[in-house]
């Protein structure tokens, strides 16, 4: 108890009337003794006079007397509590007041007034309560002197290690608790000694002697103790164990960090690595994450338990270590590791329950094995304690996470296991989300690759390049598409279209429309008729699926747009029609950019006026730019008047080479994440050399068939196609004969040497020939059957003044 407080208590309870007086000389010797003093302490005057006053007190208080005497000489009187020793040896609690005085002969003395406290109930109770607080509390209490050496401590302090109170005397904090941050603690003590400021709630973390293998946390509070003159005597401090609170706070912080850092992407391997990164070093020193191979592929997991094979293969998805020597045991991410069937990781994988071992068998080999790798024991690796937690989400086990601690570390306990389970369970949901995303994305990419041409077909009519950028970057799916379809007579069809919406529903609608366009192109319909059939198809699908009543059907085709262009390299003629789709741009050989004045037909399935086609002649080297409206809007939700000018400028500034030019145009006009899907198809026109085309007008006379064969043979010889003479003679003979026999008017024979040898026969008939399968005894009907067997493909297309029957023979593949 401090000096000032002691004086206050003494003054409050001091009764001068009952006080026993005695005199001390300047040296603290008793010079006068009274009968009251004899009754109080039992000493006769002859025994007390001449003795030092300090000898009448217990040793602890006797040491204070010289200082009290000196203080009274300089500062005046002093009042306080002291314990005297009765003549029979028992202690007597007294209130004391010491006052300087002057004797009649002028000699200075000290008047001492003593008041017995034995009958003061308040003091008796306070002393008992004080003793109970100090000795009976669970809070550690200690007092150190100004040299920071222990002078007193209670029994509760022993629970933190360092031995009983008598063994602490004269030692410093660093001697008692070397595993704690003694330097920081003593810094706080010195600060309190110097300033008198109380320090409350100072937390230290370390390894106390009571738990040398376990990190503990304690809260200390420091108060300075002053003597009766207000001078620092030492520091009184208390200690409270807050390890559980500290560990709970650590767990919450780790889980909070896990929520922040795990699952930031939908990449499975990266998510697994994030789990390992978060767990090290806060929870473990070495962490590995192994997943089933099907998880990394995004596939559905096999039902039922694992097979009873000797070893179970897993894929290493992530690992983290705080030691430099442990990576020698770690395989590369994505590599296969195998575990014995009865090992703890496999048991956890099969049962879905966690496993913990405080002390691993040091001579046991590590569980994971790699092809060609050397087995190491846990002793060689220095691994002491382990936990295995299954990576489990939505009732399915995806893999296992293994946590290790090395030598000189405290083993994993139940709290560590619960924390690991919380950590892995959060990561497992992210891993499963990434797995599901991988599965859906892979399926979407397969669908997209099947819907869009992976490679545009080779042909001699145009040089082409295409660029596609979906608005849905997660799936890569959209409703826009482009296509190039080789037609008969060396012609090509260029197609760009878009279905409403984004994602897989729009892709499904686009796939149906693209398939329908290819089917209609195969029968050589003109552009306006192709769009008319597509319009009927969209309307019929809407009726069948209820799309006309509800717009919720994911694959709706109503409202789709399409631009269909046919280009003929023989004469440079280009015919096109549009259904709810922007007209293409034409870049002339000199760089001039114009837009085709194309009548805008209604969108597919909505009804309206018939579709109209326009025909124009393109110079060789002209570039057609077919695009969806996403290119015009530049990623904005709606177009404006400047969109065409922006496209015009981009086409004018594009490179000469078609491939970089196509991508550059999209990059200039469209952001990386556009508002709408974007497709751009650029085609640079070519013309067939006149020397690769031969045309003959034939009279409708059966006798001309032989001349047609001879003329074709001479033409093939000039082209160096002698290997095709025999089959070409048969094809020419059959097609010309059928034209003369079944159609009236003139007949025209045309041979085109492109990537295939094309034989075309024109007549004025309006009926299409049919392939027949004659019986063995029939004398006719085998002409077209023979043509179909000899040609790579054949067909019929109608023109305004008749029809053309054509057959192709490949010039790139050897004849069968």
């Amino acid at each position: 108890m401090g000096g000032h407080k002691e004086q206050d208590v003494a003054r409050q309870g001091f009764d001068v009337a009952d006080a026993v007086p005695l005199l001390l000389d300047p040296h603290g010797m008793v010079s006068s003794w009274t009968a009251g003093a004899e009754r109080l302490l039992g000493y006769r005057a002859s025994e007390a006079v001449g003795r030092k006053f300090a000898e009448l007190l217990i040793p602890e208080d006797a040491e204070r007397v010289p200082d009290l005497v000196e203080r009274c000489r300089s500062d005046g009187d002093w009042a306080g509590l002291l314990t005297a020793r009765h003549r029979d040896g028992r202690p007597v609690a007294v209130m004391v007041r010491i006052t300087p005085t002057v004797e009649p002969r002028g000699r200075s003395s000290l008047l001492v007034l003593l008041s017995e406290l034995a009958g003061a109930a308040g003091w008796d109770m306070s002393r008992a309560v004080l003793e109970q607080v100090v000795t009976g509390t669970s809070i550690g209490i200690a007092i150190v002197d100004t040299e920071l050496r222990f002078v007193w401590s209670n029994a509760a302090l022993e629970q933190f290690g360092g031995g009983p109170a008598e063994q602490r005397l004269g030692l410093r904090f660093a001697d008692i608790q070397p595993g704690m941050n003694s330097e920081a603690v003593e810094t706080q003590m010195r600060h309190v000694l110097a300033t008198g400021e109380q320090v409350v709630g100072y937390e230290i973390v370390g390894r106390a002697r009571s738990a040398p293998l376990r990190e503990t946390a304690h809260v200390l509070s420091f108060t300075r103790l002053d003597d009766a003159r207000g001078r620092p005597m030492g520091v009184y401090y208390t200690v409270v164990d807050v390890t559980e609170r500290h560990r709970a706070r650590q767990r919450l912080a780790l889980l909070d960090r896990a929520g922040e850092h795990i699952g930031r992407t939908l990449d499975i391997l990266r998510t697994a690595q994030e789990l390992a990164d978060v767990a090290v070093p806060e929870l473990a020193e070495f962490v590995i994450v192994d997943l089933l191979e099907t998880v990394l592929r995004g596939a559905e997991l096999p039902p039922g338990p694992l097979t009873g094979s000797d070893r179970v293969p897993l894929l290493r998805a992530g690992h983290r270590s705080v030691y430099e020597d442990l990576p020698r045991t770690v395989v590369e991410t994505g590599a296969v590791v195998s575990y014995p069937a009865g090992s703890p990781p496999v048991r956890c994988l099969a049962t879905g329950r966690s496993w913990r071992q405080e002390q691993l068998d040091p001579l046991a080999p590590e569980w994971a094995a790699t092809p060609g790798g050397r087995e190491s024991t846990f002793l060689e690796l220095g691994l002491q304690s382990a936990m295995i937690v299954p990576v489990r989400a939505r009732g399915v086990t995806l893999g296992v996470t293994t946590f290790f601690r090395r030598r000189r570390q405290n083993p994993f306990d139940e709290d560590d296991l619960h924390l690991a389970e919380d950590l892995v369970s959060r990561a497992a949901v992210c891993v499963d989300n990434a797995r599901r995303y991988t599965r859906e994305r892979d399926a979407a990419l397969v669908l997209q690759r099947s819907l869009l041409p992976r490679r545009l077909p080779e042909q001699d009519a145009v040089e082409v390049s295409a660029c596609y950028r979906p608005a849905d970057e997660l799936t890569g799916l959209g409703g826009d598409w482009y296509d190039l379809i080789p037609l008969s007579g060396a012609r090509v069809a260029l197609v760009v279209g878009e279905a409403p919406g984004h994602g897989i529903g729009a892709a499904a609608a686009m796939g149906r429309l693209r398939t329908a366009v290819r089917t209609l192109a195969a029968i050589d319909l003109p552009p306006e008729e192709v769009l008319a059939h597509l319009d009927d198809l969209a309307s019929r699908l809407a009726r069948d699926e209820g799309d006309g009543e509800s717009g919720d059907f994911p694959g709706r085709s109503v409202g789709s747009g399409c631009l269909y262009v046919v280009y003929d390299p023989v004469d440079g003629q280009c015919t096109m029609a549009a259904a709810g789709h922007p007209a293409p741009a034409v870049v002339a050989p000199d760089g001039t950019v114009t837009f085709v004045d194309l009548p805008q037909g209604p969108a597919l399935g909505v009804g309206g006026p018939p579709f109209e086609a326009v025909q124009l002649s393109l110079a060789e080297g002209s570039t057609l730019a077919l695009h969806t409206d996403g290119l015009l809007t530049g990623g904005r939700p709606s177009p404006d008047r400047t969109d065409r000018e922006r496209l015009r400028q981009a086409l004018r500034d594009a490179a000469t080479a078609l491939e970089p030019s196509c991508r550059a145009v999209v990059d200039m006009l469209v952001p990386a994440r556009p508002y709408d899907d974007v497709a751009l198809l650029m085609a640079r026109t070519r013309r067939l050399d006149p020397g690769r085309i031969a045309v003959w007008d034939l009279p409708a006379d059966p006798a001309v068939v032989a001349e047609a064969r001879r003329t074709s043979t001479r033409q093939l010889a000039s082209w160096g196609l002698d290997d095709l003479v025999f089959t070409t003679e048969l094809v020419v003979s059959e097609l010309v004969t059928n034209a003369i026999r079944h159609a009236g008017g003139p007949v025209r024979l045309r041979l085109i040497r492109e990537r295939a040898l094309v034989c075309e026969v024109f007549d004025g008939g309006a009926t299409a020939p049919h392939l027949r399968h004659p019986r063995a005894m029939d004398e006719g009907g085998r002409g077209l059957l023979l043509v179909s067997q000899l040609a790579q493909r054949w067909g019929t297309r109608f023109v305004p003044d008749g029809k053309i029957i054509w057959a192709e023979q490949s010039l790139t593949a050897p004849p069968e």
Side-chain angles (χ1 to χ4, degrees):
M1 183 175 294
H4 294 298
K5 294 181 179 179
E6 191 177 37
Q7 292 185 64
D8 292 342
V9 173
R11 291 187 178 114
Q12 290 172 7
F14 201 94
D15 188 352
V16 177
D18 297 331
V20 175
L22 57 94
L23 288 176
L24 304 181
D25 65 14
H27 302 290
M29 306 288 288
V30 177
S31 60
S32 174
W33 193 255
T34 63
E38 183 177 347
R39 286 194 303 273
L40 179 62
L41 299 179
Y43 297 98
R44 292 188 295 270
S46 59
E47 296 173 323
V49 174
R51 296 180 65 176
K52 290 184 177 182
F53 178 68
E55 295 177 358
L56 304 178
L57 304 175
I58 63 172
E60 290 84 351
D61 286 348
E63 295 177 356
R64 301 173 57 190
V65 171
D67 182 65
L68 295 177
V69 172
E70 181 66 26
R71 182 175 177 181
C72 288
R73 288 175 179 172
S74 59
D75 298 338
D77 64 346
W78 175 88
L81 305 176
L82 295 176
T83 302
R85 187 170 297 281
H86 195 273
R87 188 173 185 274
D88 61 11
R90 60 184 173 86
V92 179
V94 293
M95 287 187 178
V96 181
R97 174 173 289 179
I98 304 175
T99 304
T101 186
V102 178
E103 295 182 11
R105 288 176 291 182
R107 189 174 59 179
S108 62
S109 301
L110 294 174
L111 174 64
V112 178
L113 300 177
L114 305 178
S115 179
E116 186 179 7
L117 297 176
W123 164 250
D124 291 342
M125 180 184 69
S126 301
R127 185 66 175 262
V129 170
L130 181 61
E131 290 177 350
Q132 292 179 33
V133 168
V134 191
T135 60
T137 181
S138 61
I139 299 176
I141 303 175
I143 299 176
V144 297
D145 59 17
T146 55
E147 298 297 325
L148 307 185
R149 300 185 182 279
F150 282 92
V151 296
W152 178 88
S153 62
N154 69 344
L157 197 65
E158 298 176 11
Q159 65 182 305
F160 305 110
E166 57 269 18
Q167 294 182 7
R168 296 173 183 265
L169 295 178
L171 300 179
R172 297 177 63 148
F173 189 88
D175 303 322
I176 302 299
Q177 297 289 358
M180 308 296 282
N181 191 352
S182 58
E183 183 177 350
V185 172
E186 292 190 351
T187 299
Q188 293 296 321
M189 291 179 178
R190 291 190 183 94
H191 172 75
V192 172
L193 278 173
T195 64
E197 297 176 357
Q198 190 179 31
V199 174
V200 179
Y202 179 73
E203 184 171 329
I204 59 171
V205 179
R207 297 186 184 277
R209 278 191 167 177
S210 58
L213 298 180
R214 183 166 175 255
E215 188 178 73
T216 56
H218 301 84
V219 168
L220 285 71
S221 296
F222 305 91
T223 303
R224 191 176 75 178
L225 295 177
D226 296 337
D227 61 14
R229 301 177 63 180
R231 292 178 300 184
M233 297 174 54
V235 175
Y236 158 89
Y237 76 89
T238 60
V239 184
V240 179
D241 189 340
V242 293
T243 301
E244 292 305 317
R245 186 180 71 185
H246 173 72
R247 299 191 71 186
R249 190 165 61 240
Q250 282 185 319
R251 288 193 291 268
L252 291 176
L254 183 59
L255 292 175
D256 183 65
R257 182 169 172 239
E260 181 180 353
H261 290 87
I262 298 178
R264 292 177 293 180
T265 67
L266 289 173
D267 182 274
I268 296 176
L269 291 179
R270 183 169 179 181
T271 301
Q273 184 60 48
E274 289 168 347
L275 168 60
D277 292 342
V278 167
V280 175
E282 282 80 359
L283 178 58
E285 297 168 302
F286 180 34
V287 175
I288 55 178
V289 183
D290 295 320
L291 300 176
L292 294 171
E293 185 269 340
T294 50
V295 174
L296 268 71
R297 289 192 289 107
E300 287 295 336
L301 300 178
L306 296 172
T307 60
S309 58
D310 292 338
R311 303 193 74 88
V312 177
L314 296 175
L315 287 182
R316 181 58 47 85
H319 58 82
R320 182 79 171 182
S321 172
V322 296
Y323 297 106
E324 294 181 357
D325 59 333
L326 273 181
R328 65 186 172 88
T329 69
V330 177
V331 299
E332 294 295 328
T333 300
V336 177
V337 293
S338 60
Y339 290 93
S343 62
V346 174
R347 291 202 302 270
C348 291
L349 194 65
T351 63
R353 293 192 294 269
S354 301
W355 177 89
R356 177 176 63 90
Q357 186 72 41
E358 291 187 3
Q359 182 64 52
L360 294 169
D361 182 0
L363 300 181
E366 61 172 327
W367 301 308
T370 58
R374 186 183 72 86
E375 285 190 350
S376 301
T377 64
F378 290 122
L379 179 61
E380 292 174 324
L381 300 176
L383 299 176
Q384 179 195 42
S385 184
M387 297 186 300
I388 303 175
V389 179
V391 182
R392 189 171 175 82
R394 300 179 177 95
V396 178
T397 303
L398 309 174
V400 291
T401 301
T402 308
F403 303 83
F404 290 104
R405 283 179 181 168
R406 295 197 73 172
R407 60 178 71 91
R408 296 187 302 275
Q409 279 286 346
N410 52 303
F412 290 116
D413 56 22
E414 282 296 324
D415 290 339
D416 293 323
L417 183 61
H418 294 327
L419 176 58
E421 288 174 338
D422 288 342
L423 190 65
V424 174
S425 66
R426 296 189 179 203
V429 174
C430 298
V431 170
D432 193 50
N433 288 340
R435 177 187 69 85
R436 290 168 176 257
Y437 166 74
T438 300
R439 180 189 62 193
E440 299 299 329
R441 178 171 173 79
D442 288 347
L445 292 177
V446 169
L447 175 62
Q448 188 71 40
R449 284 193 292 265
S450 66
L451 296 178
L452 287 177
R454 302 178 66 180
R455 182 183 59 188
L456 294 173
E458 296 181 356
Q459 36 71 45
D460 292 335
V462 290
E463 176 192 357
V464 290
S465 179
C467 183
Y468 173 73
R469 185 168 295 177
D472 189 344
E473 66 171 353
L474 288 180
T475 64
L477 290 173
D480 291 11
W481 89 94
Y482 59 87
D483 210 347
L484 184 146
I485 308 170
L487 302 177
S488 62
R491 299 169 306 134
V492 292
L494 304 170
V495 189
V496 167
E498 56 184 320
H502 312 292
I504 196 168
M510 174 267 283
R512 292 192 294 190
L513 292 175
R514 178 172 179 262
T515 301
V517 169
R518 281 186 158 263
T519 302
L520 295 171
I523 58 178
D524 264 332
L525 294 177
E528 66 274 17
E529 292 189 27
V530 169
L531 296 182
H533 284 287
L534 283 180
D535 184 66
D536 292 340
L537 174 65
S539 299
R540 185 167 60 254
L541 290 176
R543 290 192 299 269
D544 294 343
E545 297 162 351
D547 192 26
E549 300 174 2
S550 173
D552 296 334
F553 183 73
R556 59 195 183 100
S557 302
V558 172
S560 299
C562 183
L563 173 64
Y564 190 88
V565 179
V566 175
Y567 174 69
D568 189 344
V570 174
D571 55 9
Q573 293 299 306
C574 182
T575 308
M576 63 185 71
H581 200 87
V586 178
V587 184
D590 61 0
T592 304
V593 180
T594 59
F595 291 90
V596 179
D597 187 11
L598 179 64
Q600 281 295 307
L604 299 177
V606 301
F611 299 101
E612 298 181 39
V614 297
Q615 188 173 20
L616 61 154
S617 180
L618 297 178
E620 184 175 9
S622 300
T623 301
L624 280 167
L626 290 72
H627 58 87
T628 57
D629 57 7
L631 185 68
L632 287 179
T633 59
R636 292 175 286 101
S638 58
D640 58 36
R641 292 181 299 177
T642 64
D643 291 331
R644 274 198 171 186
E645 291 306 314
R646 293 173 57 247
L647 176 57
R648 187 195 307 272
Q649 186 64 38
L651 291 172
R652 187 183 298 119
D653 297 341
T656 304
L658 205 58
E659 182 70 29
S661 173
C662 184
R663 184 159 298 278
V665 169
V666 174
D667 290 340
M668 282 189 286
L669 300 178
V670 180
R673 297 180 60 181
Y675 176 84
D676 194 8
D677 303 325
V678 175
L680 173 63
L681 177 65
M682 297 182 69
R684 184 164 294 157
T685 61
R686 296 170 177 154
R687 289 284 186 94
L688 288 183
D689 190 287
R692 298 168 63 183
I693 305 169
V695 182
W696 300 275
D697 290 321
L698 306 175
D701 182 358
V704 81
V705 175
E707 181 60 26
R709 287 198 300 268
R710 289 192 293 270
T711 303
S712 301
T713 300
R714 287 194 299 269
Q715 186 62 51
L716 292 182
S718 67
W719 284 342
L721 302 177
D722 296 324
D723 292 342
L724 298 181
V725 168
F726 176 72
T727 55
T728 304
E729 283 185 340
L730 292 176
V731 170
V732 168
S733 178
E734 293 300 330
L735 295 184
V736 172
T737 300
N738 281 344
I740 294 174
R741 179 177 298 174
H742 300 293
V747 176
R748 184 182 306 113
L749 171 64
R750 183 168 72 166
L751 296 179
I752 302 174
R753 178 175 173 247
E754 194 208 16
R755 294 178 180 268
L757 178 63
V758 182
C759 178
E760 295 182 341
V761 175
F762 164 82
D763 63 57
T767 58
H770 297 283
L771 185 65
R772 296 168 54 189
H773 297 276
R775 293 183 295 244
M777 302 304 293
D778 290 347
E779 295 183 0
R782 295 180 175 82
L784 289 180
L785 179 62
L786 182 61
V787 170
S788 67
Q789 297 299 314
L790 296 176
Q792 185 181 33
R793 62 180 190 143
W794 72 280
T796 303
R797 74 174 182 269
F798 289 91
V799 293
D801 51 353
K803 67 176 183 296
I804 296 175
I805 303 176
W806 53 270
E808 290 184 2
Q809 301 175 73
S810 176
L811 297 180
T812 57
E816 297 181 2

